Amino acid sequence: MKKRLGIISFFVVIFIAFIVVWNYSYEQGLEEAYTPVIETPTGNFIPSESGAFRRFDDAGAGLDYLNMPVDENHQRTLDTYYDNRAYPGAPPSIPHPVAKERSYGGNTCIQCHQNGGFVAKFDAYAPVTPHPEMVNCRQCHVTKNTTSDFKENGFAKPKPPKVGLGANNALLGGPPMIPHQLQMRENCISCHGGPSAPKEIRVSHPDRINCRQCHLPKHSEQPTVDANTFLRQFDKLNEK
């Protein structure tokens, strides 16, 4: 008798659990469906110069590049631009003293380099950073403490891209192509517009911010990579 009651009790518990689960599922099914909005990643393709759009749309910035005057006494040259880099495409070093060695961009660097402007202390215009949202500036930018190498080496600094009429044009009279990579350079105007831009590459139409509508990368193909470098080498190690 007790065994029979135990079996009946077991099935009663199973039935009650079924009713509870079914009722919960039914209530969930009555709720309004929700589809999350997923933003499509743009990567480095469409458009790579998205930073230019964000800076121009920022009403608080007030970066009117088209009407910015040219200060002839404080123009930056392209040679100075490249001298401050270990190689073309490298992050520029910090050419001035830093108040705190472990300072971060939000409270220090961004104050001058987010929107640029003339800095009387250094008698120069602060270059506008193309990525002001990345405030850990010292992760890539280091102070320039010496002008010589620690040890002799055979490193040869690559030559920067040529500039000037016909230097990077695909066709005669066509717009020049982009001779450098686009990574970390999402705001073309930061280097090509405003009083801090090197005079050799300052554009005459900074208000046309859809740069890649006319200017395309000069090297669009991906570099060839030897896949064997990344393959597991167990067979070769165990040949002997």
Side-chain angles (χ1 to χ4, degrees):
M1 185 68 179
K2 292 183 180 180
K3 185 177 180 180
R4 184 177 300 177
L5 290 176
I7 295 175
I8 296 175
S9 300
F10 174 76
F11 280 103
V12 169
V13 172
I14 295 297
F15 180 76
I16 294 175
F18 170 77
I19 295 297
V20 172
V21 173
W22 180 88
N23 184 66
Y24 176 78
S25 300
Y26 178 76
E27 294 294 335
Q28 292 291 319
L30 295 178
E31 294 184 2
E32 185 177 354
Y34 170 73
T35 303
V37 178
I38 302 176
E39 296 182 359
T40 303
T42 57
N44 291 331
F45 300 97
I46 306 174
S48 288
E49 66 277 10
S50 59
F53 291 92
R54 288 196 298 267
R55 299 309 301 279
F56 270 87
D57 292 339
D58 187 359
L63 301 179
D64 188 6
Y65 286 100
L66 183 62
N67 297 318
M68 285 184 180
V70 177
D71 190 345
E72 297 292 345
N73 297 325
H74 296 89
Q75 290 202 77
R76 190 162 60 133
T77 65
L78 197 59
D79 290 338
T80 304
Y81 176 90
Y82 282 116
D83 286 342
N84 200 35
R85 287 162 170 78
Y87 54 87
S93 60
I94 304 174
H96 57 74
V98 177
K100 295 181 180 180
E101 185 62 26
R102 295 187 178 182
S103 59
Y104 287 87
N107 298 324
T108 53
C109 312
I110 299 300
Q111 291 182 356
C112 292
H113 292 283
Q114 181 171 6
N115 297 325
F118 186 76
V119 183
K121 180 179 179 180
F122 301 115
D123 193 33
Y125 284 92
V128 177
T129 174
H131 39 262
E133 69 280 0
M134 299 180 181
V135 297
N136 191 1
C137 309
R138 299 300 301 279
Q139 184 176 356
C140 299
H141 303 276
V142 298
T143 55
K144 194 173 183 178
N145 297 326
T146 179
T147 57
S148 60
D149 297 332
F150 296 106
K151 186 177 181 180
E152 293 186 3
N153 56 76
F155 175 75
K157 189 173 183 179
K159 293 183 179 180
K162 296 181 179 180
V163 297
L165 185 62
N168 298 301
N169 300 66
L171 299 172
L172 184 64
M177 304 185 75
I178 305 173
H180 56 72
Q181 294 181 349
L182 300 175
Q183 184 180 11
M184 303 298 291
R185 301 175 179 179
E186 293 82 1
N187 187 355
C188 308
I189 305 300
S190 63
C191 289
H192 294 280
S196 64
K199 58 182 180 180
E200 294 90 345
I201 59 174
R202 186 186 294 119
V203 299
S204 59
H205 46 274
D207 53 315
R208 301 178 184 178
I209 56 177
N210 193 0
C211 309
R212 290 186 62 189
Q213 185 175 358
C214 299
H215 305 276
L216 299 178
K218 191 173 182 179
H219 303 287
S220 58
E221 67 276 3
Q222 296 294 329
T224 303
V225 177
D226 184 7
N228 293 325
T229 306
F230 305 98
L231 297 179
R232 304 177 75 175
Q233 304 297 324
F234 291 124
D235 293 339
K236 292 183 179 180
L237 294 175
N238 298 322
E239 284 179 350
K240 296 181 179 180

